[in-house]
Amino acid sequence: MENQIRARRKALGLSQEELARRCGVSRQTVNAIENNKYDPTLALAFHLAKELETTVDALFTFVVE
């Protein structure tokens, strides 16, 4: 799965730390998700989308390998 979290976060002027705080996770979690090393839970995906002012569908793209 690929995501647009880093691009959306930067467009909104948010740091990884701030996004993590708003979503109730660690900065390391946000970093791992941005680098496609961790797939968030559905609840976290919705929370990220809300904080990044977008939809889950726009934020995440399923990639067949």
Side-chain angles (χ1 to χ4, degrees):
M1 185 170 332
E2 294 180 353
N3 67 72
Q4 299 298 314
I5 294 172
R6 180 177 286 120
R8 290 291 306 154
R9 176 179 62 75
K10 287 186 175 189
L12 293 170
L14 295 173
S15 66
Q16 285 183 341
E17 186 69 37
E18 178 62 18
L19 179 58
R21 186 189 64 74
R22 290 182 183 192
C23 292
V25 297
S26 69
R27 184 201 56 78
Q28 290 86 352
T29 298
V30 171
N31 182 274
I33 296 169
E34 284 186 355
N35 289 299
N36 298 309
K37 296 188 183 295
Y38 174 74
D39 289 334
T41 63
L42 189 55
L44 179 53
F46 274 102
H47 204 155
L48 288 164
K50 178 180 178 242
E51 293 300 328
L52 295 171
E53 301 174 4
T54 189
T55 64
V56 172
D57 287 346
L59 202 54
F60 295 94
T61 305
F62 181 72
V63 177
V64 178
E65 294 180 11

